[in-house]
Amino acid sequence: MKMATKQNDGSVSTWRRIGILGGAFNPIHNGHLMIAESAREQFALDCVLFVPTGHSPRKHKQRITDSAHRCAMIALAISDKDGFILDEIEVHSSAVSYTYRTMDKLKEEYTSCELFFILGADSLFDFESWHNPELILKNCNILAAYRKHQHQEKFFQQISYLNKKYPDKFFPLDAPILEISSQEIRQRVKEGRTIERFVPELVEAYIQQHKLYKNFLS
């Protein structure tokens, strides 16, 4: 079941530009929210869909928190953010969550919209190793987040290389990236250390209430 997929007037007809931010969100943190907000502002996106991974081909060796908890934390994190929407398209599918499949389904749903898939700088360099990158690009443009002065030259060289191979599909996203990962947050919880600077208050309370990550294994 999707949450809040419609505008206040009950229609999606006014949407023209949609961002998609995927990931395990185990848990969602402030860095995710900062990247999404930067994308919305810089590329005039009507909304950003947060798409939690269902059965990720990249996480098969790692324990992952139940999707119900991950979705609940996303819902809490974006509850006061206009234009941020939880989309459970992957968690309700029994198939492996390949990006090209997800983008194909989203394009079917939002036929008249321009889609922008948001990823981090590291993923930009891995992109060609993903399953069927050409099929991903058939349905969307790529917004790649980077930090100014952090390996900036290599980043823009990669953008240039990819745009020569796949013309005008990759765009740099200037985003203030928080220097912490979901894995580090899980480790901090296990060690009894604070995470208040890294996740929204409601997410922190949810983690405590449900005793998540207390037995986290890296």
Side-chain angles (χ1 to χ4, degrees), residues 151-168:
H151 310 296
Q152 190 168 325
E153 184 176 352
K154 290 183 179 179
F155 174 87
F156 281 100
Q157 286 175 349
Q158 183 70 2
I159 287 278
S160 177
Y161 159 74
L162 290 169
N163 274 330
K164 287 179 182 177
K165 190 170 183 178
Y166 311 101
D168 302 319

Side-chain angles (χ1 to χ4, degrees), residues 4-79:
T5 56
K6 295 182 180 180
Q7 298 282 40
N8 292 333
D9 63 1
S11 172
V12 297
S13 61
T14 57
W15 291 357
R16 292 292 177 265
R17 297 163 68 85
I18 298 177
I20 297 99
L21 183 61
F25 298 112
N26 189 29
I28 188 170
H29 55 67
N30 291 334
H32 296 129
L33 300 175
M34 292 162 66
I35 289 175
E37 188 59 47
S38 295
R40 189 171 64 166
E41 290 179 353
Q42 293 173 39
F43 290 88
L45 304 179
D46 296 302
C47 67
V48 175
L49 306 181
F50 287 72
V51 183
T53 299
H55 305 280
S56 172
R58 297 169 183 267
K59 305 276 184 185
H60 65 283
K61 294 182 180 179
Q62 175 184 316
R63 288 181 59 192
I64 188 165
T65 305
D66 186 83
S67 61
H69 285 309
R70 293 183 289 119
C71 288
M73 287 187 284
I74 294 171
L76 290 170
I78 66 177
S79 60

Side-chain angles (χ1 to χ4, degrees), residues 119-204:
L119 49 73
D122 291 343
S123 296
L124 178 71
F125 289 87
D126 296 336
F127 181 78
E128 289 186 288
S129 69
W130 292 14
H131 276 70
N132 299 318
E134 305 86 359
L135 297 183
I136 298 174
L137 297 174
K138 179 188 74 172
N139 291 315
C140 68
N141 298 311
I142 303 294
L143 307 183
Y146 75 100
R147 288 189 68 183
K148 288 181 178 178
H149 312 303
Q150 186 180 50
H151 310 296
Q152 190 168 325
E153 184 176 352
K154 290 183 179 179
F155 174 87
F156 281 100
Q157 286 175 349
Q158 183 70 2
I159 287 278
S160 177
Y161 159 74
L162 290 169
N163 274 330
K164 287 179 182 177
K165 190 170 183 178
Y166 311 101
D168 302 319
K169 299 297 291 185
F170 292 82
F171 300 89
L173 169 62
D174 182 4
I177 301 172
L178 188 66
E179 293 293 349
I180 192 162
S181 67
S182 293
Q183 181 176 356
E184 290 174 284
I185 291 171
R186 297 193 299 270
Q187 187 66 43
R188 291 179 73 93
V189 172
K190 179 181 179 180
E191 295 171 357
R193 301 165 65 195
T194 181
I195 58 171
E196 64 178 352
R197 293 186 294 121
F198 307 119
V199 300
E201 184 177 347
L202 291 175
V203 173
E204 181 184 18

